Amino acid sequence: MTIQAVDAGPIASERSNSLWTIRTGIRLFIVLVVISPLLMRMWFVSKVPYIDEPFDVEAFAKIEVPSEDNAFVHYRKAERLFEAARLADIANNEPDLTAQMVQVLENSWETVAESTRLGKWFEARRPALEEWRRGTELPNAQYHLIRDSHWETLLPVTTALRNFGQMAECEAVRLEALGDFSDALKWHVAVMRCSFHSGKYGFAVERLVGISLNSVACQGFNRWSEHRGVTAELLRQAIHEIQRAEQMSAPISQTLKIEYSLMRKSCGESNWIRAIDLATGTSAEEPIVSGLKAYYWLIGEPYYTQMVMRHLLGNQLTEVDKPISERHAYSGKGVALLFNPDPEGLPRHQLGPAAIEQAVQRSKLATAVAAGPLKDLEIAVQRQLARTASLIAALAAQAYQRDHQEYPQQLDEVVPKYLDAVPVDPTDQLGKAVRYHRESPESALIWCVGPDGKDETVDPQLARKLGFGIDLKSH
């Protein structure tokens, strides 16, 4: 019997085609799995166009203040002496009386020192205070080199400056009680100069400490100026010293550049996931660190945040150093400090403020960096400027009072004998002078508009509370 062969050609071909289709589908699936993260990363990154660095980062990072001009050479030594005194007190079971200094400033040296051991505590720290004061006499200050700084850089000496500022003001209060107003002035000047040293080439948080010290100094100057024993000549000297100290103030753009440099260094290193933890206030558990790295890489980090911050800083640098009266308006109330620049003046590929705000909000890291101390710093600097302008005007009015036994009818009367010109209100959008109102020959009020910049919302009581409203009186 003959068996006829079956033609298997079509069936085999069909099977071969099916296998090819399956294999091809598997290959395509694998390719998609492999490239989809790249596509997603590219999509996120494409939302923020590439632009050049907004300033010469490498040259800026090389800035170094010479030791002979650097106040922090003395501030570091003073902090060590202060810490040694603290450890000695612990060893001898002596109480920490740091908090008593606030009571001195709110009351008097005699009231607090005689009822506590503050006098002894204070004298044990006088070598530290004198060393600190030597630092205040220097023209410049830099705590850490920019090129070596990052988000985990510690700032114990900056923290100690608060204590030294309070100690110096306590010493001034003691001298005022003795009638030594000339030496008391030297301590007020020291605090004022230190306030401009803190953050000169440092973090935004160092700048905020300096602004806090500036508030302490202004309160001290104002209290000192009320004493009848403070002559018109001493008041003119105080004005001169404050104006000299103001010249040491760093432009706000300098602080923004330093913060950008810190972000760039912290996010650019191999442990950039740690930078995300620091910026967002979270802490990744060890088992999921790899997963978090993969996720943040997937959405374009850390490149995405670095590029967003380039656009953000580029927007800020065009405006922040200008007087309020010459700036473009703020852009909205988002998490970032942004301005509405002239659209025709935008560099090529530079995002506008609305687009920058959207880009910031797409990233948890970018949001944390943009909403950090930078926006608070702008408001704090404006308050500092307003406070200092009000103080200078107040001291001039006090000098006028010493010579005429009454406050001036108008603030213009202090020109030119006590001031070359009435201080401009740095928070006024029209560039007007600080406000002045004489309530009687024995009392008057000086104030600035404040950070909102709107004259129609002026509230002298709020101005007093925020520190840039000063009641004029004399004892």
Side-chain angles (χ1 to χ4, degrees):
M1 184 174 67
T2 303
I3 299 177
Q4 187 174 358
V6 178
D7 185 1
I11 298 174
S13 178
E14 185 177 339
R15 287 177 178 173
S16 177
N17 288 339
S18 297
L19 289 173
W20 182 87
T21 301
I22 292 170
R23 291 189 184 113
T24 301
I26 292 173
R27 291 191 188 101
L28 288 174
F29 176 77
I30 292 172
V31 170
L32 286 173
V33 169
V34 171
I35 69 171
S36 59
L38 295 173
L39 294 174
M40 181 173 288
R41 179 178 173 86
M42 289 171 62
W43 181 79
F44 268 96
V45 169
S46 69
K47 295 293 183 179
V48 187
Y50 175 88
I51 59 173
D52 291 332
E53 295 282 12
F55 65 100
D56 190 338
V57 179
E58 299 302 325
F60 184 75
K62 294 178 181 178
I63 293 174
E64 184 172 354
V65 174
S67 296
E68 61 270 21
D69 295 334
N70 191 354
F72 272 96
V73 171
H74 295 278
Y75 294 161
R76 288 176 186 272
K77 184 176 179 181
E79 192 273 337
R80 292 193 294 270
L81 291 171
F82 191 95
E83 179 64 11
R86 187 186 71 85
L87 293 175
D89 281 350
I90 292 175
N92 296 323
N93 294 318
E94 295 288 342
D96 182 6
L97 300 181
T98 305
Q100 301 293 335
M101 292 191 292
V102 177
Q103 295 182 25
V104 170
L105 300 181
E106 292 176 348
N107 297 283
S108 68
W109 175 268
E110 296 86 350
T111 302
V112 179
E114 291 179 4
S115 62
T116 66
R117 303 176 186 174
L118 183 62
K120 179 182 176 182
W121 181 93
F122 199 92
E123 287 305 312
R125 287 155 179 77
R126 186 169 290 279
L129 183 61
E130 294 291 350
E131 185 65 33
W132 167 84
R133 181 171 162 179
R134 280 189 279 274
T136 67
E137 295 169 357
L138 295 181
N140 215 335
Q142 185 178 29
Y143 189 178
H144 292 288
L145 297 178
I146 299 169
R147 61 179 175 269
D148 296 336
S149 301
H150 49 79
W151 283 341
E152 291 191 272
T153 300
L154 300 179
L155 305 170
V157 177
T158 295
T159 301
L161 294 181
R162 298 178 189 270
N163 289 332
F164 286 117
Q166 289 183 332
M167 286 183 69
E169 287 298 332
C170 285
E171 177 67 358
V173 168
R174 187 184 72 81
L175 291 168
E176 289 165 20
L178 296 174
D180 191 347
F181 300 111
S182 180
D183 274 356
L185 173 60
K186 295 176 183 177
W187 289 101
H188 296 308
V189 171
V191 181
M192 179 65 75
R193 290 180 65 85
C194 183
S195 76
F196 291 114
H197 281 160
S198 183
K200 179 71 179 287
Y201 288 105
F203 296 21
V205 68
E206 293 181 80
R207 185 80 177 261
L208 291 171
V209 169
I211 292 170
S212 176
L213 279 173
N214 181 269
S215 177
V216 172
C218 287
Q219 291 172 26
F221 271 110
N222 190 43
R223 183 184 59 244
W224 169 84
S225 72
E226 295 174 350
H227 290 282
R228 284 282 183 182
V230 176
T231 64
E233 180 57 36
L234 278 175
L235 287 160
R236 281 195 291 266
Q237 183 182 340
I239 293 170
H240 174 70
E241 292 293 349
I242 293 170
Q243 291 172 333
R244 282 186 62 219
E246 274 193 304
Q247 294 174 7
M248 299 191 301
S249 179
I252 192 170
S253 61
Q254 186 163 291
T255 307
L256 297 180
K257 288 177 181 179
I258 289 171
E259 286 291 325
Y260 176 81
S261 299
L262 297 176
M263 180 280 302
R264 189 171 175 269
K265 183 176 178 63
S266 298
C267 292
E269 296 174 344
S270 58
N271 63 337
W272 57 268
I273 194 70
R274 172 62 178 160
I276 292 175
D277 293 341
L278 292 170
T280 59
T282 59
S283 179
E285 298 296 331
E286 190 65 31
I288 62 172
V289 166
S290 297
L292 281 176
K293 283 186 177 180
Y295 168 73
Y296 283 117
W297 183 91
L298 192 65
I299 62 174
E301 299 294 7
Y303 174 86
Y304 180 88
T305 290
Q306 290 174 329
M307 200 54 57
V308 169
M309 296 309 294
R310 281 192 192 183
H311 285 268
L312 176 61
L313 185 60
N315 174 281
Q316 294 171 337
L317 292 182
T318 61
E319 303 293 324
V320 291
D321 289 338
K322 296 178 182 178
I324 289 287
S325 58
E326 299 177 15
R327 286 182 179 180
H328 285 89
Y330 292 118
S331 173
K333 297 182 179 180
V335 298
L337 170 65
L338 289 165
F339 299 90
N340 282 318
D342 182 357
E344 296 181 359
L346 281 177
R348 190 165 178 262
H349 301 310
Q350 171 73 52
L351 294 177
I356 295 174
E357 185 67 44
Q358 290 177 356
V360 167
Q361 294 181 358
R362 288 191 195 102
S363 164
K364 188 175 182 180
L365 176 58
T367 299
V369 175
L374 301 185
K375 198 168 186 179
D376 292 340
L377 178 65
E378 159 69 5
I379 296 173
V381 168
Q382 295 307 321
R383 287 180 177 171
Q384 177 188 23
L385 293 172
R387 188 164 51 235
T388 308
S390 297
L391 175 64
I392 289 173
L395 295 178
Q398 290 283 22
Y400 181 99
Q401 191 275 339
R402 298 305 190 276
D403 287 340
H404 299 86
Q405 288 71 56
E406 66 175 351
Y407 291 113
Q409 292 280 358
Q410 304 293 330
L411 200 52
D412 291 342
E413 295 174 43
V414 303
V415 178
K417 184 175 182 180
Y418 309 104
L419 288 175
D420 293 335
V422 175
V424 171
D425 179 350
T427 60
D428 185 85
Q429 294 176 354
L430 299 178
K432 295 181 179 180
V434 297
R435 275 58 171 175
Y436 175 80
H437 174 65
R438 189 175 96 152
E439 298 170 341
S440 74
E442 294 80 29
S443 64
L445 174 66
I446 290 176
W447 74 96
C448 289
V449 171
D452 69 358
K454 297 179 181 179
D455 192 25
E456 63 270 22
T457 62
V458 165
D459 179 354
Q461 293 295 337
L462 178 61
R464 290 183 179 100
K465 181 179 179 181
L466 295 177
F468 46 81
I470 298 178
D471 288 292
L472 294 176
K473 54 188 177 181
S474 59
H475 295 308

